[in-house]
Amino acid sequence: MVSAQTSAAIAKELSRCGHSVRIFAPFPSRPQGRLYKGYTRSLYSTKMMDDGCVLTSCFGTFSPSSTMLSRFAENLSFGISSGLRTLLCKRPDVIYSNTWPIFATGIVAIIARLRGIPLVLSVQDAYPESLESQERSSTRQWLYRLLKRMDAATSRSAAQIVVISDRFRRLYAEERGIEADRLHVIPNWGKEDFIATDTSRALAFRRRLGIADDAFVAVYAGNVGMASNAEMLVDVFDRLKNHRKLFLVIAGDGSRLPTCREEIERKQLDNVIIHSPWKVEETGSVLQMADVLLLPTKRSQSLSSIPSKLISYLLSARPVIAAVLPESDTALTLLATGAGWVVDPDSSEIIAHAIIRASGRSKDTLNQMGAAGREYALHNLTREFTLPRVLHVILKAAGFQGVKEKLPQGVSLSR
């Protein structure tokens, strides 16, 4: 979600600066896996956006399930349809690709190479390493080795690569053989307009969900999918059901939400509340009603991706309990800023104990931890800090001269 929003912001800013921007995107179907109202399934649908960008929705299969097969079909079908459109459209000066690895990205890279178009890749997750962490593949399998070679070939064909952390930079330098001058560490960013000091709406939101003012509330907010491990939190609060003032709110949607509902009902957990669907305008209230925000991951998943929800968590000025490996980027950020706790990702018992310990902290302590996280996010994970750097990479790849490292917002560059 966050990476899609950042891509939209990049397109809008380029258009505002006078550049011609065409966007190829899937028909909207996330997170429910169903076509949004107002859209009709077709091969392509093109419209002019209010910001001046031309949006072409491209065919891709989608399913409410999140099986390996359905994700592969979605990935490949969109790669083929968007690749064909790219092949036939007027030749652009540059392609910025932020799409599914490895197949959709690979198809874009092939088309870019055929047409001699500079390609800027945005790497959000390390594949196939991420598949290994989800136990969907193994380094011993021939398929894993093939996928890694495919990703390396795609990466080497790119003019520039944007990665979201130093860990990813090292991985692509050492494991894919990418030269240092083509790798740029630029994190994603979030919206900084959370009103961290206004708790009245958050308190009203708590009461709307039937939670007492003196309860301690842990919130998971985001996609409830295969990689999120959100269903583990149901087991965590099964261990905490005798702590009558501890509540869990799961806010979001995704393929594993029905499983969470079934487990909550089967275990008769009155201390777990699901809020779905989660409206965009509720974001601030959902996050700020929390005393602590939960960020579970599955096994070594934290080493191959950075959960995008971490950005909104930090901006909401609430402390975070992250179930991640201690050497992960998420862990390093939380420990360096003092914005939360890092615990073992594979133990619901350890997470439960962390929540109990957090509930024993004073409000002032929790607020100080949350404020530290927000301060870090405001100076490192916002549009003002990161967008100019992405524009620099894209325009430099396109051949624009005199591009400064940090562009003043709103300045249009000429060739």
Side-chain angles (χ1 to χ4, degrees):
M1 179 70 75
V2 169
S3 65
Q5 292 172 350
T6 58
S7 293
I10 291 167
K12 183 176 181 178
E13 186 68 10
L14 285 169
S15 177
R16 196 177 73 82
C17 290
H19 302 287
S20 175
V21 180
R22 179 180 288 272
I23 303 168
F24 296 153
F27 283 92
S29 66
R30 295 298 182 91
Q32 293 88 358
R34 297 185 298 273
L35 193 66
Y36 281 24
K37 290 182 179 179
Y39 288 85
T40 303
R41 186 189 291 269
S42 61
L43 184 59
Y44 299 110
S45 176
T46 300
K47 65 179 179 179
M48 177 68 74
M49 307 293 289
D50 292 340
D51 54 23
C53 300
V54 178
L55 171 64
T56 297
S57 298
C58 302
F59 174 82
T61 63
F62 41 81
S63 168
S65 66
S66 187
T67 64
M68 189 90 166
L69 184 60
S70 67
R71 295 300 294 272
F72 171 75
E74 185 177 34
N75 186 323
L76 184 61
S77 59
F78 173 72
I80 292 171
S81 64
S82 61
L84 286 173
R85 195 70 170 184
T86 305
L87 186 63
L88 298 174
C89 74
K90 180 182 176 182
R91 184 188 180 281
D93 293 310
V94 65
I95 294 174
Y96 173 77
S97 175
N98 177 13
T99 187
W100 293 296
I102 292 173
F103 300 97
T105 300
I107 292 170
V108 171
I110 290 170
I111 300 301
R113 187 159 191 151
L114 286 173
R115 300 194 65 186
I117 305 167
L119 173 65
V120 177
L121 285 183
S122 172
V123 177
Q124 300 290 321
D125 298 282
Y127 276 82
E129 288 85 351
S130 184
L131 296 176
E132 181 191 18
S133 66
Q134 298 172 36
E135 295 188 340
R136 296 184 176 191
S137 185
S138 166
T139 55
R140 297 186 298 272
Q141 295 177 344
W142 67 267
L143 179 59
Y144 180 96
R145 295 192 295 272
L146 174 62
L147 292 175
K148 191 169 181 178
R149 284 196 292 269
M150 290 172 63
D151 187 61
T154 297
S155 302
R156 285 195 291 267
S157 73
Q160 305 291 332
I161 300 176
V162 175
V163 295
I164 57 177
S165 74
D166 281 321
R167 173 177 292 278
F168 280 29
R169 178 186 55 77
R170 291 192 299 270
L171 186 148
Y172 272 78
E174 297 168 7
E175 300 285 332
R176 271 68 164 174
I178 307 301
E179 299 89 344
D181 61 353
R182 290 199 288 139
L183 287 167
H184 307 269
V185 179
I186 306 175
N188 287 324
W189 66 87
K191 296 180 179 179
E192 60 267 36
D193 54 356
F194 292 113
I195 306 173
T197 56
D198 181 7
T199 59
S200 58
R201 290 186 179 182
L203 185 60
F205 202 87
R206 272 195 188 210
R207 292 169 179 169
R208 174 180 152 192
L209 296 180
I211 300 174
D213 292 357
D214 62 346
F216 186 88
V217 180
V219 172
Y220 171 86
N223 180 50
V224 188
M226 183 69 70
S228 69
N229 209 20
E231 63 261 41
M232 184 187 191
L233 299 178
V234 178
D235 182 55
V236 169
F237 273 77
D238 184 35
R239 296 173 180 273
L240 297 173
K241 59 183 166 185
N242 292 328
H243 296 262
R244 305 307 300 172
K245 289 192 175 183
L246 296 184
F247 283 82
L248 167 66
V249 176
I250 298 176
D253 206 341
S255 61
R256 303 299 296 174
L257 188 62
T259 301
C260 291
R261 290 188 189 276
E262 291 169 7
E263 286 298 293
I264 292 167
E265 184 175 350
R266 185 178 68 82
K267 295 177 178 181
Q268 299 182 336
L269 300 180
D270 296 331
N271 58 341
V272 181
I273 299 168
I274 289 179
H275 177 64
S276 181
W278 168 16
K279 300 176 182 177
V280 174
E281 59 268 25
E282 295 174 339
T283 299
S285 297
V286 166
L287 295 177
Q288 290 169 12
M289 75 172 171
D291 292 291
V292 68
L293 294 163
L294 302 180
L295 203 167
T297 61
K298 186 173 289 187
R299 301 175 184 88
S300 59
Q301 175 71 20
S302 57
L303 297 180
S304 55
S305 67
I306 301 176
S308 57
K309 66 176 64 66
L310 178 64
I311 300 173
S312 55
Y313 276 16
L314 293 174
L315 284 169
S316 71
R318 292 293 181 265
V320 180
I321 296 177
V324 296
L325 294 178
E327 63 270 32
S328 67
D329 291 293
T330 299
L332 295 175
T333 296
L334 290 177
L335 295 176
T337 60
W341 299 269
V342 174
V343 299
D344 191 313
D346 297 323
S347 173
S348 57
E349 182 179 1
I350 289 175
I351 298 173
H353 284 310
I355 293 170
I356 292 173
R357 289 197 302 272
S359 69
R361 297 294 184 97
S362 68
K363 286 285 187 183
D364 285 345
T365 298
L366 295 176
N367 288 337
Q368 288 170 10
M369 295 176 72
R374 180 174 170 84
E375 184 70 14
Y376 170 82
L378 287 173
H379 289 89
N380 295 275
L381 304 174
T382 57
R383 181 181 185 275
E384 181 181 9
F385 176 80
T386 54
L387 179 57
R389 299 172 63 200
V390 179
L391 295 180
H392 163 70
V393 174
I394 294 172
L395 295 173
K396 184 178 180 180
F400 285 78
Q401 303 300 318
V403 182
K404 295 182 179 180
E405 184 62 32
K406 291 211 172 185
L407 302 172
Q409 188 172 356
V411 173
S412 178
L413 302 178
S414 58
R415 193 181 295 276

